[in-house]
Amino acid sequence: MAHQLVGLDEATARWRGSEKRERLLAAGRRLILEKGFPATTVDQICEAAGVTKGAFFHYFDSKEAVGREVIERFVFDLVETFRGGPFRHLPDPLERVDAYVDFTIEVCTQAILRDGCILGLFSQELAQTNPDIRAVCEQSFRAWAEDLKSLLDEAAAGRKPASPFDSESLAEQYIAIVEGALIVRKAYQDPQVIARALNHFRDYVRLLLTTASSRRRKERR
């Protein structure tokens, strides 16, 4: 995932704001995940942050400005989380893909995704009404998928997949699985939903990367 997604150098400097500003952003993110963006009001954000409405408008022009910064910060955190993943240091390309899946399962239990995905939420609620937010969501999802696609391409290099291998659509499938599993996890109240779904994805990728000759050997046993 590329840093140019949100102009991170500028964003990092901008985020070094006051304590009140930080509280407003933290409250905004929490309420947006709980209630959804349309149902979250400026008054609610101020109350949750313990900040006056006048102070809110000192830092932000509108609720939409809070939403934009919430999603920018989320993307920044997601980029940095996956950038530093331990799977990147594994020498074997297919093991890197396996470890990427394991890492995703772990990240879904951490603060960044534990309560849901800001990208998924904003895509559902704002894609039809806010072109700027929709563009951020699209760009971010595509960059996330491209990161996995590069690992899949490395894993497929030098192999002869038994079936057609489309790393781009596989990476898109991964995004769909993660986002769908995060939603189902809430409905089921079952944190293992994500692990089950992503383990199926891992098995499918390994199946696609099994050579035809290897498969025939296994069938003869």
Side-chain angles (χ1 to χ4, degrees), residues 42-90:
V42 170
D43 287 337
Q44 289 169 344
I45 294 172
C46 292
E47 182 179 358
V51 173
T52 66
K53 202 167 182 178
F56 176 96
F57 286 108
H58 173 73
Y59 296 111
F60 301 101
D61 294 335
S62 63
K63 183 181 76 170
E64 286 68 25
V66 172
R68 176 66 185 232
E69 189 149 339
V70 164
I71 196 170
E72 286 181 351
R73 286 200 179 197
F74 173 81
V75 173
F76 176 85
D77 290 343
L78 196 66
V79 168
E80 290 303 300
T81 297
F82 276 86
R83 176 194 291 274
F87 58 87
R88 300 206 183 267
H89 304 296
L90 295 175

Side-chain angles (χ1 to χ4, degrees), residues 33-205:
L33 282 169
E34 288 176 1
K35 300 172 176 291
F37 184 80
T40 297
T41 67
V42 170
D43 287 337
Q44 289 169 344
I45 294 172
C46 292
E47 182 179 358
V51 173
T52 66
K53 202 167 182 178
F56 176 96
F57 286 108
H58 173 73
Y59 296 111
F60 301 101
D61 294 335
S62 63
K63 183 181 76 170
E64 286 68 25
V66 172
R68 176 66 185 232
E69 189 149 339
V70 164
I71 196 170
E72 286 181 351
R73 286 200 179 197
F74 173 81
V75 173
F76 176 85
D77 290 343
L78 196 66
V79 168
E80 290 303 300
T81 297
F82 276 86
R83 176 194 291 274
F87 58 87
R88 300 206 183 267
H89 304 296
L90 295 175
D92 181 83
L94 188 53
E95 287 183 6
R96 283 200 293 273
V97 173
D98 284 349
Y100 187 100
V101 173
D102 287 335
F103 187 72
T104 304
I105 293 169
E106 179 184 346
V107 169
C108 287
T109 69
Q110 297 173 358
I112 188 171
L113 289 174
R114 184 173 56 232
D115 297 320
C117 177
I118 291 288
L119 284 173
L121 179 68
F122 276 33
S123 295
Q124 287 178 296
E125 295 186 336
L126 302 176
Q128 300 301 317
T129 59
N130 190 316
D132 291 338
I133 291 293
R134 188 209 64 77
V136 171
C137 292
E138 178 188 5
Q139 187 180 20
S140 301
F141 277 136
R142 289 188 184 279
W144 192 0
E146 182 62 31
D147 187 40
L148 177 57
K149 179 184 181 300
S150 66
L151 297 181
L152 291 168
D153 287 338
E154 291 170 2
R159 296 175 182 270
K160 296 180 179 179
S163 305
F165 189 81
D166 184 344
S167 60
E168 182 175 357
S169 65
L170 274 173
E172 288 177 350
Q173 183 188 36
Y174 159 84
I175 297 294
I177 288 171
V178 171
E179 294 300 317
L182 286 169
I183 293 172
V184 174
R185 177 179 67 180
K186 284 188 175 182
Y188 286 6
Q189 291 294 289
D190 179 3
Q192 296 306 311
V193 166
I194 293 168
R196 291 197 297 268
L198 284 170
N199 283 331
H200 281 305
F201 174 80
R202 184 214 318 274
D203 291 343
Y204 180 55
V205 170

